[in-house]
Amino acid sequence: MPNSEDRMIGHLTGSSSVSVRKYDKGERRFKHVGSGDLPEFEVEDDNPKKIIGKCPRTISEQERDRLLQIAVAAINPDREISVPSKLYSVHQGTIYEAQTSDHGETYHAYPFRGKLAASILQQLRDLADKEGCREAFEKFVKTNITRHG
């Protein structure tokens, strides 16, 4: 029987069958942790095409978990697993990408910069409206996202 938190998450996601997504930062995973209150992007010295998104230190565990539950699932190119390998969410206008490395058991997230399908972008725009950050979202998209598809 689902507990009250599970029922709330099912309500948030519009799902009658409860599937709780779990966040796992990783014990020694500091690559995506920023130094301040805002999301950051860092370019690796040896590869200027590789950009690393760093999360603000101010996102609470509860907010991180909530964002994971309302995230939009990308179409899964790997048909061997039934869960999405990538999820996208919006926090204060910034788009975050969450990936799984254990077949959907857990996800880890970071600010995203790059290409997104038009369909995902529209779902994120709708999410930004629900979250009350549409203006910041549009500004973020203009400077960080390339639309495709």
Side-chain angles (χ1 to χ4, degrees), residues 112-116 144-147:
F112 177 77
R113 178 184 280 176
K115 293 182 182 181
L116 275 178
N144 295 289
I145 302 299
T146 302
R147 180 181 151 173

Side-chain angles (χ1 to χ4, degrees), residues 2-149:
N3 65 29
S4 61
E5 181 183 21
D6 291 342
R7 284 192 296 275
M8 179 192 73
I9 291 167
H11 173 71
L12 284 173
T13 61
S15 169
S16 57
S17 64
V18 178
S19 172
V20 179
R21 297 169 177 160
K22 296 176 186 153
Y23 195 91
D24 178 26
K25 176 188 168 290
E27 287 181 35
R28 294 180 299 233
R29 188 180 293 144
F30 299 104
K31 178 178 178 180
H32 298 291
V33 178
S35 59
D37 296 343
L38 298 172
E40 307 167 16
F41 291 102
E42 184 178 285
V43 177
E44 283 192 0
D45 293 332
D46 60 341
N47 186 357
K49 291 185 178 183
K50 186 166 184 178
I51 298 170
I52 299 168
K54 295 188 173 263
C55 297
R57 291 191 175 274
T58 55
I59 296 180
S60 69
E61 270 188 55
Q62 294 81 11
E63 180 66 358
R64 183 187 65 204
D65 292 341
R66 185 188 75 82
L67 292 169
L68 191 58
Q69 302 314 316
I70 64 172
V72 173
I75 295 172
N76 195 354
D78 183 357
R79 296 172 196 235
E80 293 183 23
I81 61 172
S82 60
V83 296
S85 59
K86 292 183 181 181
L87 303 169
Y88 295 91
S89 199
V90 177
H91 178 65
Q92 298 178 347
T94 300
I95 296 174
Y96 288 80
E97 179 180 71
Q99 289 192 47
T100 185
S101 56
D102 56 9
H103 302 290
E105 292 279 323
T106 61
Y107 290 85
H108 65 278
Y110 43 83
F112 177 77
R113 178 184 280 176
K115 293 182 182 181
L116 275 178
S119 61
I120 296 289
L121 208 47
Q122 184 55 51
Q123 291 176 70
L124 291 173
R125 187 170 281 113
D126 294 343
L127 184 55
D129 284 340
K130 289 177 187 173
E131 295 288 303
C133 59
R134 176 72 177 266
E135 188 176 326
F137 173 82
E138 294 298 347
K139 186 176 179 180
F140 181 85
V141 167
K142 186 175 183 178
T143 57
N144 295 289
I145 302 299
T146 302
R147 180 181 151 173
H148 74 92

